[in-house]
Amino acid sequence: MRELEHGMGISDPARGRWQGDLAEALVRIGEPGEAQELIDVTRVRALRLNRASVLAVLDRAEALVRSARGEHQAAQTQLASAQERLAALGYGLEEARAAFALARLRGRGPAPAAYDEAARLFRRCRALPWLRQVERAVAAGPAEPETVPAAAPGALDGLAAMERQVAALVMEGATNREIAGRLFISVKTVEATLTRVYRKLGIRSRVDIVRLAAAARRTK
């Protein structure tokens, strides 16, 4: 969608409204830095054109970035604000999605009642696929607290030089494209290097690298 819109000269984020979905998808695959980059670029355009609904959806996506980085309280506050604004604007499905995201964060605690509002809003929109997601989340019970990957102490020190450089830039929040530019290598080389890092450390995403590094600092 980004490439198509660019080719047609479309710069208004309210035309396709895909940016928030892409940002949320990037968070889910462990790319919060790239998600934040997309949010920042889109927000500038949305502010210039006064696209209030787009800004609210971007805030919903940014809250997920914050949650991925461990800023759970800030994420909840931002989600609640986004939900309120979307409700006022009449974007019922987007409001319901914000409520669902908020329930998922609050669902780390003991009460499935956090999902009641999301379920009600999805029923009002007749958004049955989303309602099924809520039902599955309730059935699964409270989410287990996220834990740091069980890599051996000092595992980051055991990486090869290039792997350590890439991991260090990941910890700074750099995207793959930014890492490639700073190290004068290709994006594909960055991706291959990260794959080796994940395999060596027994982790699955760049977020795990950040958590692992934080745990290592706490043990020193």
Side-chain angles (χ1 to χ4, degrees):
M1 283 297 297
R2 176 165 49 191
E3 292 172 358
L4 286 171
E5 287 192 357
H6 181 73
M8 291 187 289
I10 297 173
S11 60
D12 185 349
R15 288 286 295 274
R17 297 182 176 275
W18 49 266
Q19 295 86 353
D21 286 340
L22 177 54
E24 292 185 21
L26 287 166
V27 172
R28 287 182 179 275
I29 64 170
E31 298 287 352
E34 189 171 348
Q36 186 65 61
E37 181 181 29
L38 171 62
I39 291 166
D40 292 342
V41 169
T42 307
R43 183 176 280 132
V44 170
R45 295 173 181 169
L47 284 168
R48 186 176 68 245
L49 297 170
N50 194 29
R51 302 304 192 214
S53 61
V54 174
L55 290 168
V57 168
L58 291 175
D59 276 356
R60 185 185 69 203
E62 188 172 54
L64 300 185
V65 174
R66 289 185 167 183
S67 177
R69 291 173 171 166
E71 303 169 19
H72 299 304
Q73 188 57 54
Q76 290 187 41
T77 300
Q78 192 168 18
L79 277 171
S81 172
Q83 180 185 344
E84 182 178 341
R85 287 149 55 206
L86 287 165
L89 291 165
Y91 283 81
L93 180 59
E94 303 295 356
E95 174 197 358
R97 288 179 59 181
F100 186 27
L102 186 57
R104 278 174 160 164
L105 286 186
R106 291 174 174 168
R108 298 175 189 278
Y115 292 97
D116 288 350
E117 184 179 13
R120 177 182 63 81
L121 292 171
F122 283 132
R123 286 194 192 96
R124 187 175 69 184
C125 298
R126 298 182 180 179
L128 297 183
W130 281 102
L131 185 58
R132 285 194 289 271
Q133 286 196 46
V134 175
E135 291 168 350
R136 285 196 295 269
V138 172
E144 293 295 326
E146 294 183 343
T147 57
V148 175
L156 288 169
D157 297 332
L159 298 175
M162 175 63 73
E163 294 165 352
R164 285 199 304 273
Q165 286 180 296
V166 170
L169 291 172
V170 166
M171 292 173 213
E172 293 178 12
T175 65
N176 287 358
R177 189 175 296 106
E178 290 169 340
I179 294 171
R182 290 172 66 173
L183 297 181
F184 303 101
I185 57 178
S186 70
V187 173
K188 286 189 176 181
T189 300
V190 175
E191 292 170 350
T193 302
L194 276 174
T195 298
R196 291 196 302 273
V197 170
Y198 298 159
R199 185 174 62 250
K200 287 184 177 182
L201 299 180
I203 60 179
R204 292 172 295 184
S205 74
R206 61 206 299 129
V207 176
D208 290 334
I209 294 177
V210 176
R211 294 193 185 112
L212 186 59
R217 286 194 295 271
R218 287 195 297 269
T219 59
K220 288 184 178 180

